[in-house]
Amino acid sequence: MRASSDRLTVGRPPVGPIQAFLEALASLRRRRRLIWYITISSLRGRGRDSVIGNLWWVLDPALNIAIYYILVVVIFARSEPAYPLFLFAGIMPWRWLSSAVSESTSVIRGRASIMRSVAFPTITLPASTVLSGFISFLFGLVPLAVLYVIYPERLTGWIFAIPLVAIAQIAWTIPLVIFISAVSMFFLDMQNIVNHGMRLWFYATPIIYSAEGLRKIAADHPPIDFLIKLNPFLWIIEGYRDLIYAGRPANWGALLGITLASLPVTFVLVYVFRRLSPYFVKVL
Amino acid sequence: MLRGVGVQYDMRLSRKRRLRGTLTGKYKDSEAKKFWALRKVDLEVRHGESLAVIGNNGAGKSTLLQTLAGIITPDEGEIEVRGRISTLLNLGAGFEDDLDAQENILLAGEYLGIPHNTIRRKLSEIINFADIGKFADMPARTYSSGMRARLGFSVATSVDPDVLLLDEVMATGDAAFAEKSRTRVLELMGRARAIVFVTHDLEAAEKFCNRAIEIDRGEIIASGSPAKVIADYRKRNSITGPSSLGKRGARIAT
């Protein structure tokens, strides 16, 4: 008892990048329940006050898909076979990313009062954003069952490998959300920048069109081809599409590659976050 | 045993570098907009002491408290706090609208870093003390501000902290609860833990504290027995009058 009470609680010396990273991991583990409660709260908040409440969780992505279906199939008269399923495999994971990223611009600022009254590891806030995005992604998978009723021939055992692709997506969502949540504390413009950036990124990623088509266009322009391949979400979306739509194994080598590539990025951005976090209260 | 723990603050916010522990707003780079919310503050609070911090609006009292709580990192000097801190700065601040009382207590406990088992054991005690009746099962968005504050107070004072930081909480809720919370705070003080109490309520400061400091423009300008410091403060204020008070109050809003 004595030891714990004697502990130095405020005024610890600053630490280097590696300790800062380990400290962040430790505080995420120690405050896992905090992350969980904030996540529950934000998930509940999403369904409240609307007439059909939690049904929006399913309806939202369904309407999203319907709009792109009308746009591409009816208006542009271009499509892939079983296009709703094709769209689904692209849009569901994208919605997870974009909701997490757009929430991250306000996740810390929105808790100004607690930030001003309690010292706690701020990194738990972006962590809860990633988690709540993931959970609504899981709920969004429910309409997949309906699509497989329409296209039963597309259903294969490969759908059980979806969590593996989700790991690669989490690996990239975490550093992005952490970075944006920290930077948007200092620049209020981040919200606008992020909105437009996400829209640009959406169209640059093969979500409503196929990756093959994109590759064919890019093949004649090596620099563009290179840029396209740098986009981790190209590989992630293709991974989902292989499993859900094409019923074949994903490009596991590429997915492993981008997951590993996220580690140094995460490391650096967690450190940046840790260095910036003492200033959050001052700029609130 | 546990009671014998010495709680020591050692703040040397002066000498070498310049304090930027300031609320500089968004214009961090322009020198003109900077000011020291706290400056050259040397302070030590020992085990068993309860320190009253008085001063005009914007003097830096809350910043001092936030610095002690580890919410604000000093830009100059050092600070050391040994022991578990409980902060009663803004009651009910962390409550989420969509969680009920029990979940919010657990959440607040997590924010404060109270071990999960400890807070779980005290759940019913906290809810009873807060006296929120049948609202315990309702989401917090249905609570009145008084209920929120009561619940926040109950959580923050439910575990024995080594260091208790209070910011004007004596006025929580209605008269009945104010009496209850006063008793609770006195209890905590009685357990010989260090207390830093920021207040404008000079009577309370004189009654509850065994030491007082006065802060003005980020600096400690008086320190000593509450009776003396408060008497000086009263005297000086009637001289400087309300005009300078108003000016300083406009400088910062915390």
PDB file of all heavy atoms in Angstrom, chain A residues 5 7 9-11 31 33 37 41 44 48 111 113 115-117 278 282, chain B residues 2 66 71 73 75 79 81-83 87 93 96 98 103 110-111 116 162:
ATOM      1  N   SER A   5       1.151   4.513  -2.693  1.00  0.00           N
ATOM      2  CA  SER A   5       0.782   5.864  -2.315  1.00  0.00           C
ATOM      3  C   SER A   5       1.962   6.834  -2.401  1.00  0.00           C
ATOM      4  O   SER A   5       1.776   8.021  -2.548  1.00  0.00           O
ATOM      5  CB  SER A   5       0.233   5.873  -0.891  1.00  0.00           C
ATOM      6  OG  SER A   5      -1.139   5.597  -0.955  1.00  0.00           O
ATOM      7  N   ARG A   7       4.049   6.808  -4.684  1.00  0.00           N
ATOM      8  CA  ARG A   7       4.431   6.923  -6.085  1.00  0.00           C
ATOM      9  C   ARG A   7       4.382   8.369  -6.566  1.00  0.00           C
ATOM     10  O   ARG A   7       3.497   9.138  -6.187  1.00  0.00           O
ATOM     11  CB  ARG A   7       3.474   6.089  -6.922  1.00  0.00           C
ATOM     12  CG  ARG A   7       4.134   5.316  -8.029  1.00  0.00           C
ATOM     13  CD  ARG A   7       3.068   4.558  -8.782  1.00  0.00           C
ATOM     14  NE  ARG A   7       1.939   5.417  -9.072  1.00  0.00           N
ATOM     15  CZ  ARG A   7       0.692   4.995  -9.118  1.00  0.00           C
ATOM     16  NH1 ARG A   7       0.403   3.757  -8.894  1.00  0.00           N
ATOM     17  NH2 ARG A   7      -0.286   5.836  -9.393  1.00  0.00           N
ATOM     18  N   THR A   9       3.202  10.798  -8.968  1.00  0.00           N
ATOM     19  CA  THR A   9       2.086  10.725  -9.908  1.00  0.00           C
ATOM     20  C   THR A   9       2.075  11.878 -10.904  1.00  0.00           C
ATOM     21  O   THR A   9       1.544  11.749 -11.987  1.00  0.00           O
ATOM     22  CB  THR A   9       0.741  10.709  -9.157  1.00  0.00           C
ATOM     23  OG1 THR A   9       0.794  11.667  -8.118  1.00  0.00           O
ATOM     24  CG2 THR A   9       0.487   9.347  -8.575  1.00  0.00           C
ATOM     25  N   VAL A  10       2.631  12.986 -10.525  1.00  0.00           N
ATOM     26  CA  VAL A  10       2.731  14.093 -11.477  1.00  0.00           C
ATOM     27  C   VAL A  10       4.173  14.551 -11.490  1.00  0.00           C
ATOM     28  O   VAL A  10       4.819  14.604 -10.443  1.00  0.00           O
ATOM     29  CB  VAL A  10       1.818  15.270 -11.061  1.00  0.00           C
ATOM     30  CG1 VAL A  10       2.052  16.473 -11.952  1.00  0.00           C
ATOM     31  CG2 VAL A  10       0.381  14.847 -11.109  1.00  0.00           C
ATOM     32  N   GLY A  11       4.659  14.856 -12.655  1.00  0.00           N
ATOM     33  CA  GLY A  11       6.010  15.379 -12.735  1.00  0.00           C
ATOM     34  C   GLY A  11       7.026  14.330 -13.140  1.00  0.00           C
ATOM     35  O   GLY A  11       8.184  14.420 -12.791  1.00  0.00           O
ATOM     36  N   ARG A  31      -6.367   1.330 -19.379  1.00  0.00           N
ATOM     37  CA  ARG A  31      -7.643   2.054 -19.466  1.00  0.00           C
ATOM     38  C   ARG A  31      -8.568   1.432 -20.494  1.00  0.00           C
ATOM     39  O   ARG A  31      -9.383   2.116 -21.086  1.00  0.00           O
ATOM     40  CB  ARG A  31      -7.390   3.520 -19.845  1.00  0.00           C
ATOM     41  CG  ARG A  31      -6.439   4.260 -18.932  1.00  0.00           C
ATOM     42  CD  ARG A  31      -7.066   4.582 -17.597  1.00  0.00           C
ATOM     43  NE  ARG A  31      -6.089   5.207 -16.710  1.00  0.00           N
ATOM     44  CZ  ARG A  31      -6.232   6.411 -16.161  1.00  0.00           C
ATOM     45  NH1 ARG A  31      -7.289   7.104 -16.404  1.00  0.00           N
ATOM     46  NH2 ARG A  31      -5.297   6.892 -15.378  1.00  0.00           N
ATOM     47  N   ARG A  33     -11.114  -0.338 -20.129  1.00  0.00           N
ATOM     48  CA  ARG A  33     -12.530  -0.168 -19.801  1.00  0.00           C
ATOM     49  C   ARG A  33     -13.009   1.239 -20.130  1.00  0.00           C
ATOM     50  O   ARG A  33     -14.139   1.431 -20.550  1.00  0.00           O
ATOM     51  CB  ARG A  33     -12.767  -0.449 -18.321  1.00  0.00           C
ATOM     52  CG  ARG A  33     -12.635  -1.907 -18.005  1.00  0.00           C
ATOM     53  CD  ARG A  33     -13.262  -2.232 -16.665  1.00  0.00           C
ATOM     54  NE  ARG A  33     -13.116  -3.642 -16.393  1.00  0.00           N
ATOM     55  CZ  ARG A  33     -12.049  -4.182 -15.829  1.00  0.00           C
ATOM     56  NH1 ARG A  33     -11.031  -3.418 -15.493  1.00  0.00           N
ATOM     57  NH2 ARG A  33     -11.963  -5.479 -15.618  1.00  0.00           N
ATOM     58  N   TYR A  37     -16.245   2.064 -22.377  1.00  0.00           N
ATOM     59  CA  TYR A  37     -17.412   2.862 -21.988  1.00  0.00           C
ATOM     60  C   TYR A  37     -17.656   4.009 -22.970  1.00  0.00           C
ATOM     61  O   TYR A  37     -18.795   4.308 -23.317  1.00  0.00           O
ATOM     62  CB  TYR A  37     -17.249   3.417 -20.574  1.00  0.00           C
ATOM     63  CG  TYR A  37     -17.227   2.360 -19.502  1.00  0.00           C
ATOM     64  CD1 TYR A  37     -16.256   2.346 -18.518  1.00  0.00           C
ATOM     65  CD2 TYR A  37     -18.188   1.354 -19.493  1.00  0.00           C
ATOM     66  CE1 TYR A  37     -16.226   1.363 -17.544  1.00  0.00           C
ATOM     67  CE2 TYR A  37     -18.164   0.370 -18.528  1.00  0.00           C
ATOM     68  CZ  TYR A  37     -17.192   0.372 -17.559  1.00  0.00           C
ATOM     69  OH  TYR A  37     -17.161  -0.595 -16.605  1.00  0.00           O
ATOM     70  N   SER A  41     -21.001   4.437 -25.318  1.00  0.00           N
ATOM     71  CA  SER A  41     -21.759   5.677 -25.290  1.00  0.00           C
ATOM     72  C   SER A  41     -21.928   6.254 -26.686  1.00  0.00           C
ATOM     73  O   SER A  41     -23.017   6.683 -27.065  1.00  0.00           O
ATOM     74  CB  SER A  41     -21.052   6.662 -24.380  1.00  0.00           C
ATOM     75  OG  SER A  41     -21.589   7.932 -24.541  1.00  0.00           O
ATOM     76  N   ARG A  44     -24.360   4.136 -28.704  1.00  0.00           N
ATOM     77  CA  ARG A  44     -25.749   4.377 -28.305  1.00  0.00           C
ATOM     78  C   ARG A  44     -26.235   5.718 -28.825  1.00  0.00           C
ATOM     79  O   ARG A  44     -27.375   5.852 -29.248  1.00  0.00           O
ATOM     80  CB  ARG A  44     -25.856   4.366 -26.793  1.00  0.00           C
ATOM     81  CG  ARG A  44     -26.228   3.022 -26.266  1.00  0.00           C
ATOM     82  CD  ARG A  44     -26.515   3.134 -24.789  1.00  0.00           C
ATOM     83  NE  ARG A  44     -26.032   1.943 -24.137  1.00  0.00           N
ATOM     84  CZ  ARG A  44     -25.783   1.868 -22.844  1.00  0.00           C
ATOM     85  NH1 ARG A  44     -25.932   2.934 -22.084  1.00  0.00           N
ATOM     86  NH2 ARG A  44     -25.357   0.749 -22.302  1.00  0.00           N
ATOM     87  N   ARG A  48     -29.917   7.106 -31.051  1.00  0.00           N
ATOM     88  CA  ARG A  48     -30.971   7.722 -30.267  1.00  0.00           C
ATOM     89  C   ARG A  48     -31.632   8.895 -30.991  1.00  0.00           C
ATOM     90  O   ARG A  48     -31.123   9.399 -31.976  1.00  0.00           O
ATOM     91  CB  ARG A  48     -30.410   8.205 -28.933  1.00  0.00           C
ATOM     92  CG  ARG A  48     -29.611   9.470 -29.059  1.00  0.00           C
ATOM     93  CD  ARG A  48     -29.701  10.262 -27.781  1.00  0.00           C
ATOM     94  NE  ARG A  48     -29.232  11.594 -28.031  1.00  0.00           N
ATOM     95  CZ  ARG A  48     -28.056  12.049 -27.627  1.00  0.00           C
ATOM     96  NH1 ARG A  48     -27.232  11.260 -26.994  1.00  0.00           N
ATOM     97  NH2 ARG A  48     -27.701  13.290 -27.873  1.00  0.00           N
ATOM     98  N   ARG A 111     -14.510  16.568 -25.769  1.00  0.00           N
ATOM     99  CA  ARG A 111     -14.450  16.231 -24.338  1.00  0.00           C
ATOM    100  C   ARG A 111     -13.649  17.278 -23.574  1.00  0.00           C
ATOM    101  O   ARG A 111     -12.901  16.965 -22.650  1.00  0.00           O
ATOM    102  CB  ARG A 111     -13.874  14.836 -24.160  1.00  0.00           C
ATOM    103  CG  ARG A 111     -14.856  13.792 -24.630  1.00  0.00           C
ATOM    104  CD  ARG A 111     -14.444  12.394 -24.383  1.00  0.00           C
ATOM    105  NE  ARG A 111     -15.532  11.509 -24.719  1.00  0.00           N
ATOM    106  CZ  ARG A 111     -15.938  11.273 -25.951  1.00  0.00           C
ATOM    107  NH1 ARG A 111     -15.317  11.842 -26.967  1.00  0.00           N
ATOM    108  NH2 ARG A 111     -16.954  10.475 -26.185  1.00  0.00           N
ATOM    109  N   SER A 113     -14.419  19.431 -21.328  1.00  0.00           N
ATOM    110  CA  SER A 113     -14.597  19.634 -19.890  1.00  0.00           C
ATOM    111  C   SER A 113     -13.840  18.583 -19.080  1.00  0.00           C
ATOM    112  O   SER A 113     -13.248  18.903 -18.061  1.00  0.00           O
ATOM    113  CB  SER A 113     -16.077  19.659 -19.529  1.00  0.00           C
ATOM    114  OG  SER A 113     -16.661  18.408 -19.755  1.00  0.00           O
ATOM    115  N   MET A 115     -11.213  16.988 -20.156  1.00  0.00           N
ATOM    116  CA  MET A 115      -9.793  17.255 -20.392  1.00  0.00           C
ATOM    117  C   MET A 115      -9.288  18.307 -19.414  1.00  0.00           C
ATOM    118  O   MET A 115      -8.143  18.270 -18.983  1.00  0.00           O
ATOM    119  CB  MET A 115      -9.570  17.774 -21.806  1.00  0.00           C
ATOM    120  CG  MET A 115      -9.825  16.783 -22.901  1.00  0.00           C
ATOM    121  SD  MET A 115      -8.509  15.598 -23.040  1.00  0.00           S
ATOM    122  CE  MET A 115      -7.147  16.653 -23.461  1.00  0.00           C
ATOM    123  N   ARG A 116     -10.144  19.266 -19.100  1.00  0.00           N
ATOM    124  CA  ARG A 116      -9.729  20.340 -18.194  1.00  0.00           C
ATOM    125  C   ARG A 116      -9.777  19.922 -16.732  1.00  0.00           C
ATOM    126  O   ARG A 116      -9.257  20.614 -15.888  1.00  0.00           O
ATOM    127  CB  ARG A 116     -10.636  21.567 -18.371  1.00  0.00           C
ATOM    128  CG  ARG A 116     -10.363  22.305 -19.645  1.00  0.00           C
ATOM    129  CD  ARG A 116     -10.821  23.752 -19.521  1.00  0.00           C
ATOM    130  NE  ARG A 116     -10.859  24.373 -20.827  1.00  0.00           N
ATOM    131  CZ  ARG A 116     -11.953  24.449 -21.570  1.00  0.00           C
ATOM    132  NH1 ARG A 116     -13.076  23.967 -21.122  1.00  0.00           N
ATOM    133  NH2 ARG A 116     -11.915  25.007 -22.758  1.00  0.00           N
ATOM    134  N   SER A 117     -10.461  18.825 -16.426  1.00  0.00           N
ATOM    135  CA  SER A 117     -10.582  18.511 -15.000  1.00  0.00           C
ATOM    136  C   SER A 117      -9.878  17.248 -14.531  1.00  0.00           C
ATOM    137  O   SER A 117      -9.737  17.065 -13.337  1.00  0.00           O
ATOM    138  CB  SER A 117     -12.045  18.477 -14.571  1.00  0.00           C
ATOM    139  OG  SER A 117     -12.894  18.311 -15.636  1.00  0.00           O
ATOM    140  N   PRO A 278       0.474  17.103 -24.160  1.00  0.00           N
ATOM    141  CA  PRO A 278       0.470  18.073 -23.053  1.00  0.00           C
ATOM    142  C   PRO A 278      -0.087  19.440 -23.435  1.00  0.00           C
ATOM    143  O   PRO A 278      -0.518  20.198 -22.574  1.00  0.00           O
ATOM    144  CB  PRO A 278       1.954  18.193 -22.677  1.00  0.00           C
ATOM    145  CG  PRO A 278       2.589  16.975 -23.179  1.00  0.00           C
ATOM    146  CD  PRO A 278       1.820  16.579 -24.390  1.00  0.00           C
ATOM    147  N   LYS A 282      -4.174  23.349 -23.277  1.00  0.00           N
ATOM    148  CA  LYS A 282      -3.927  24.781 -23.451  1.00  0.00           C
ATOM    149  C   LYS A 282      -4.609  25.356 -24.686  1.00  0.00           C
ATOM    150  O   LYS A 282      -4.856  26.552 -24.742  1.00  0.00           O
ATOM    151  CB  LYS A 282      -2.426  25.035 -23.547  1.00  0.00           C
ATOM    152  CG  LYS A 282      -1.730  24.774 -22.229  1.00  0.00           C
ATOM    153  CD  LYS A 282      -0.262  25.061 -22.342  1.00  0.00           C
ATOM    154  CE  LYS A 282       0.482  24.492 -21.158  1.00  0.00           C
ATOM    155  NZ  LYS A 282       1.917  24.511 -21.368  1.00  0.00           N
TER     156      LYS A 282
ATOM    157  N   LEU B   2      -0.277   3.786   6.044  1.00  0.00           N
ATOM    158  CA  LEU B   2      -0.591   4.578   4.857  1.00  0.00           C
ATOM    159  C   LEU B   2      -0.700   6.060   5.227  1.00  0.00           C
ATOM    160  O   LEU B   2      -0.356   6.927   4.449  1.00  0.00           O
ATOM    161  CB  LEU B   2      -1.911   4.086   4.259  1.00  0.00           C
ATOM    162  CG  LEU B   2      -2.366   4.780   2.989  1.00  0.00           C
ATOM    163  CD1 LEU B   2      -1.420   4.412   1.861  1.00  0.00           C
ATOM    164  CD2 LEU B   2      -3.773   4.375   2.633  1.00  0.00           C
ATOM    165  N   GLN B  66      -4.777  22.885 -11.865  1.00  0.00           N
ATOM    166  CA  GLN B  66      -4.633  22.004 -13.020  1.00  0.00           C
ATOM    167  C   GLN B  66      -3.201  21.535 -13.182  1.00  0.00           C
ATOM    168  O   GLN B  66      -2.942  20.419 -13.618  1.00  0.00           O
ATOM    169  CB  GLN B  66      -5.098  22.727 -14.285  1.00  0.00           C
ATOM    170  CG  GLN B  66      -6.601  22.851 -14.364  1.00  0.00           C
ATOM    171  CD  GLN B  66      -7.052  23.583 -15.602  1.00  0.00           C
ATOM    172  OE1 GLN B  66      -6.496  24.615 -15.963  1.00  0.00           O
ATOM    173  NE2 GLN B  66      -8.054  23.061 -16.274  1.00  0.00           N
ATOM    174  N   ILE B  71      -2.791  18.047 -15.321  1.00  0.00           N
ATOM    175  CA  ILE B  71      -3.551  18.323 -16.541  1.00  0.00           C
ATOM    176  C   ILE B  71      -2.758  19.268 -17.428  1.00  0.00           C
ATOM    177  O   ILE B  71      -2.713  19.122 -18.639  1.00  0.00           O
ATOM    178  CB  ILE B  71      -4.924  18.941 -16.185  1.00  0.00           C
ATOM    179  CG1 ILE B  71      -5.721  17.952 -15.337  1.00  0.00           C
ATOM    180  CG2 ILE B  71      -5.692  19.315 -17.430  1.00  0.00           C
ATOM    181  CD1 ILE B  71      -6.880  18.593 -14.602  1.00  0.00           C
ATOM    182  N   THR B  73       1.002  20.820 -18.168  1.00  0.00           N
ATOM    183  CA  THR B  73       2.416  20.587 -17.913  1.00  0.00           C
ATOM    184  C   THR B  73       3.107  21.932 -17.808  1.00  0.00           C
ATOM    185  O   THR B  73       2.935  22.780 -18.670  1.00  0.00           O
ATOM    186  CB  THR B  73       3.042  19.809 -19.087  1.00  0.00           C
ATOM    187  OG1 THR B  73       2.111  18.818 -19.497  1.00  0.00           O
ATOM    188  CG2 THR B  73       4.318  19.134 -18.674  1.00  0.00           C
ATOM    189  N   ASP B  75       5.737  24.831 -18.209  1.00  0.00           N
ATOM    190  CA  ASP B  75       6.698  25.106 -19.261  1.00  0.00           C
ATOM    191  C   ASP B  75       8.026  25.536 -18.689  1.00  0.00           C
ATOM    192  O   ASP B  75       8.993  25.711 -19.413  1.00  0.00           O
ATOM    193  CB  ASP B  75       6.152  26.206 -20.175  1.00  0.00           C
ATOM    194  CG  ASP B  75       4.988  25.697 -20.954  1.00  0.00           C
ATOM    195  OD1 ASP B  75       5.196  25.109 -22.009  1.00  0.00           O
ATOM    196  OD2 ASP B  75       3.852  25.852 -20.477  1.00  0.00           O
ATOM    197  N   ILE B  79       7.672  20.093 -11.122  1.00  0.00           N
ATOM    198  CA  ILE B  79       6.599  19.829 -10.192  1.00  0.00           C
ATOM    199  C   ILE B  79       6.638  18.359  -9.822  1.00  0.00           C
ATOM    200  O   ILE B  79       6.902  17.512 -10.655  1.00  0.00           O
ATOM    201  CB  ILE B  79       5.250  20.232 -10.804  1.00  0.00           C
ATOM    202  CG1 ILE B  79       4.101  19.787  -9.917  1.00  0.00           C
ATOM    203  CG2 ILE B  79       5.074  19.656 -12.181  1.00  0.00           C
ATOM    204  CD1 ILE B  79       2.801  20.430 -10.273  1.00  0.00           C
ATOM    205  N   VAL B  81       4.441  15.479  -7.506  1.00  0.00           N
ATOM    206  CA  VAL B  81       3.350  15.132  -6.613  1.00  0.00           C
ATOM    207  C   VAL B  81       3.481  13.660  -6.286  1.00  0.00           C
ATOM    208  O   VAL B  81       3.596  12.835  -7.194  1.00  0.00           O
ATOM    209  CB  VAL B  81       1.972  15.402  -7.256  1.00  0.00           C
ATOM    210  CG1 VAL B  81       0.865  14.968  -6.308  1.00  0.00           C
ATOM    211  CG2 VAL B  81       1.809  16.861  -7.603  1.00  0.00           C
ATOM    212  N   ARG B  82       3.502  13.334  -5.035  1.00  0.00           N
ATOM    213  CA  ARG B  82       3.572  11.926  -4.648  1.00  0.00           C
ATOM    214  C   ARG B  82       2.228  11.508  -4.079  1.00  0.00           C
ATOM    215  O   ARG B  82       1.687  12.175  -3.219  1.00  0.00           O
ATOM    216  CB  ARG B  82       4.681  11.701  -3.626  1.00  0.00           C
ATOM    217  CG  ARG B  82       6.034  11.977  -4.230  1.00  0.00           C
ATOM    218  CD  ARG B  82       7.180  11.565  -3.362  1.00  0.00           C
ATOM    219  NE  ARG B  82       8.399  11.980  -4.010  1.00  0.00           N
ATOM    220  CZ  ARG B  82       9.037  11.259  -4.925  1.00  0.00           C
ATOM    221  NH1 ARG B  82       8.572  10.069  -5.251  1.00  0.00           N
ATOM    222  NH2 ARG B  82      10.121  11.715  -5.500  1.00  0.00           N
ATOM    223  N   GLY B  83       1.724  10.406  -4.625  1.00  0.00           N
ATOM    224  CA  GLY B  83       0.479   9.884  -4.079  1.00  0.00           C
ATOM    225  C   GLY B  83      -0.683  10.017  -5.049  1.00  0.00           C
ATOM    226  O   GLY B  83      -0.587  10.650  -6.090  1.00  0.00           O
ATOM    227  N   THR B  87      -9.245  14.834  -8.154  1.00  0.00           N
ATOM    228  CA  THR B  87      -9.530  16.211  -8.528  1.00  0.00           C
ATOM    229  C   THR B  87     -11.031  16.461  -8.501  1.00  0.00           C
ATOM    230  O   THR B  87     -11.791  15.698  -9.056  1.00  0.00           O
ATOM    231  CB  THR B  87      -9.023  16.513  -9.941  1.00  0.00           C
ATOM    232  OG1 THR B  87      -9.383  15.417 -10.776  1.00  0.00           O
ATOM    233  CG2 THR B  87      -7.539  16.684  -9.953  1.00  0.00           C
ATOM    234  N   ALA B  93     -17.858  16.249 -15.107  1.00  0.00           N
ATOM    235  CA  ALA B  93     -17.364  16.658 -16.417  1.00  0.00           C
ATOM    236  C   ALA B  93     -17.325  15.504 -17.408  1.00  0.00           C
ATOM    237  O   ALA B  93     -17.627  15.675 -18.576  1.00  0.00           O
ATOM    238  CB  ALA B  93     -15.970  17.260 -16.270  1.00  0.00           C
ATOM    239  N   GLU B  96     -21.075  10.766 -19.727  1.00  0.00           N
ATOM    240  CA  GLU B  96     -21.575  10.638 -21.094  1.00  0.00           C
ATOM    241  C   GLU B  96     -23.096  10.593 -21.041  1.00  0.00           C
ATOM    242  O   GLU B  96     -23.680   9.886 -20.218  1.00  0.00           O
ATOM    243  CB  GLU B  96     -21.047   9.356 -21.747  1.00  0.00           C
ATOM    244  CG  GLU B  96     -19.539   9.316 -21.921  1.00  0.00           C
ATOM    245  CD  GLU B  96     -19.078  10.062 -23.170  1.00  0.00           C
ATOM    246  OE1 GLU B  96     -19.926  10.339 -24.048  1.00  0.00           O
ATOM    247  OE2 GLU B  96     -17.878  10.352 -23.262  1.00  0.00           O
ATOM    248  N   ASP B  98     -25.277   9.193 -22.776  1.00  0.00           N
ATOM    249  CA  ASP B  98     -26.009   7.979 -23.116  1.00  0.00           C
ATOM    250  C   ASP B  98     -25.742   6.818 -22.182  1.00  0.00           C
ATOM    251  O   ASP B  98     -26.172   5.706 -22.445  1.00  0.00           O
ATOM    252  CB  ASP B  98     -25.705   7.580 -24.563  1.00  0.00           C
ATOM    253  CG  ASP B  98     -26.290   8.585 -25.521  1.00  0.00           C
ATOM    254  OD1 ASP B  98     -27.507   8.664 -25.594  1.00  0.00           O
ATOM    255  OD2 ASP B  98     -25.516   9.311 -26.162  1.00  0.00           O
ATOM    256  N   GLU B 103     -22.990   3.097 -15.147  1.00  0.00           N
ATOM    257  CA  GLU B 103     -21.953   3.118 -16.185  1.00  0.00           C
ATOM    258  C   GLU B 103     -21.114   4.378 -16.111  1.00  0.00           C
ATOM    259  O   GLU B 103     -19.905   4.343 -16.308  1.00  0.00           O
ATOM    260  CB  GLU B 103     -22.609   3.002 -17.568  1.00  0.00           C
ATOM    261  CG  GLU B 103     -23.213   1.649 -17.820  1.00  0.00           C
ATOM    262  CD  GLU B 103     -24.185   1.643 -18.987  1.00  0.00           C
ATOM    263  OE1 GLU B 103     -24.929   2.636 -19.160  1.00  0.00           O
ATOM    264  OE2 GLU B 103     -24.219   0.659 -19.721  1.00  0.00           O
ATOM    265  N   GLU B 110     -12.734   5.244 -14.246  1.00  0.00           N
ATOM    266  CA  GLU B 110     -11.659   4.961 -15.204  1.00  0.00           C
ATOM    267  C   GLU B 110     -10.881   6.231 -15.554  1.00  0.00           C
ATOM    268  O   GLU B 110      -9.664   6.207 -15.664  1.00  0.00           O
ATOM    269  CB  GLU B 110     -12.229   4.353 -16.487  1.00  0.00           C
ATOM    270  CG  GLU B 110     -12.699   2.928 -16.330  1.00  0.00           C
ATOM    271  CD  GLU B 110     -11.544   1.978 -16.046  1.00  0.00           C
ATOM    272  OE1 GLU B 110     -10.452   2.162 -16.618  1.00  0.00           O
ATOM    273  OE2 GLU B 110     -11.736   1.072 -15.226  1.00  0.00           O
ATOM    274  N   TYR B 111     -11.607   7.326 -15.755  1.00  0.00           N
ATOM    275  CA  TYR B 111     -10.928   8.594 -16.032  1.00  0.00           C
ATOM    276  C   TYR B 111      -9.971   8.934 -14.903  1.00  0.00           C
ATOM    277  O   TYR B 111      -8.845   9.347 -15.108  1.00  0.00           O
ATOM    278  CB  TYR B 111     -11.943   9.733 -16.162  1.00  0.00           C
ATOM    279  CG  TYR B 111     -12.524   9.946 -17.535  1.00  0.00           C
ATOM    280  CD1 TYR B 111     -13.903   9.991 -17.720  1.00  0.00           C
ATOM    281  CD2 TYR B 111     -11.699  10.132 -18.647  1.00  0.00           C
ATOM    282  CE1 TYR B 111     -14.451  10.214 -18.974  1.00  0.00           C
ATOM    283  CE2 TYR B 111     -12.246  10.356 -19.894  1.00  0.00           C
ATOM    284  CZ  TYR B 111     -13.620  10.386 -20.052  1.00  0.00           C
ATOM    285  OH  TYR B 111     -14.148  10.619 -21.284  1.00  0.00           O
ATOM    286  N   HIS B 116     -10.669  -0.803 -11.125  1.00  0.00           N
ATOM    287  CA  HIS B 116     -12.034  -1.208 -11.449  1.00  0.00           C
ATOM    288  C   HIS B 116     -12.739  -1.877 -10.274  1.00  0.00           C
ATOM    289  O   HIS B 116     -13.890  -1.581  -9.973  1.00  0.00           O
ATOM    290  CB  HIS B 116     -11.996  -2.151 -12.645  1.00  0.00           C
ATOM    291  CG  HIS B 116     -13.340  -2.550 -13.132  1.00  0.00           C
ATOM    292  ND1 HIS B 116     -14.206  -1.657 -13.713  1.00  0.00           N
ATOM    293  CD2 HIS B 116     -13.982  -3.739 -13.112  1.00  0.00           C
ATOM    294  CE1 HIS B 116     -15.320  -2.289 -14.038  1.00  0.00           C
ATOM    295  NE2 HIS B 116     -15.215  -3.551 -13.675  1.00  0.00           N
ATOM    296  N   ASP B 162      -4.730  10.580  -1.629  1.00  0.00           N
ATOM    297  CA  ASP B 162      -3.667  11.157  -0.820  1.00  0.00           C
ATOM    298  C   ASP B 162      -3.692  12.673  -0.944  1.00  0.00           C
ATOM    299  O   ASP B 162      -3.425  13.399   0.007  1.00  0.00           O
ATOM    300  CB  ASP B 162      -2.306  10.642  -1.294  1.00  0.00           C
ATOM    301  CG  ASP B 162      -2.240   9.130  -1.193  1.00  0.00           C
ATOM    302  OD1 ASP B 162      -2.635   8.599  -0.152  1.00  0.00           O
ATOM    303  OD2 ASP B 162      -1.814   8.489  -2.163  1.00  0.00           O
TER     304      ASP B 162
END
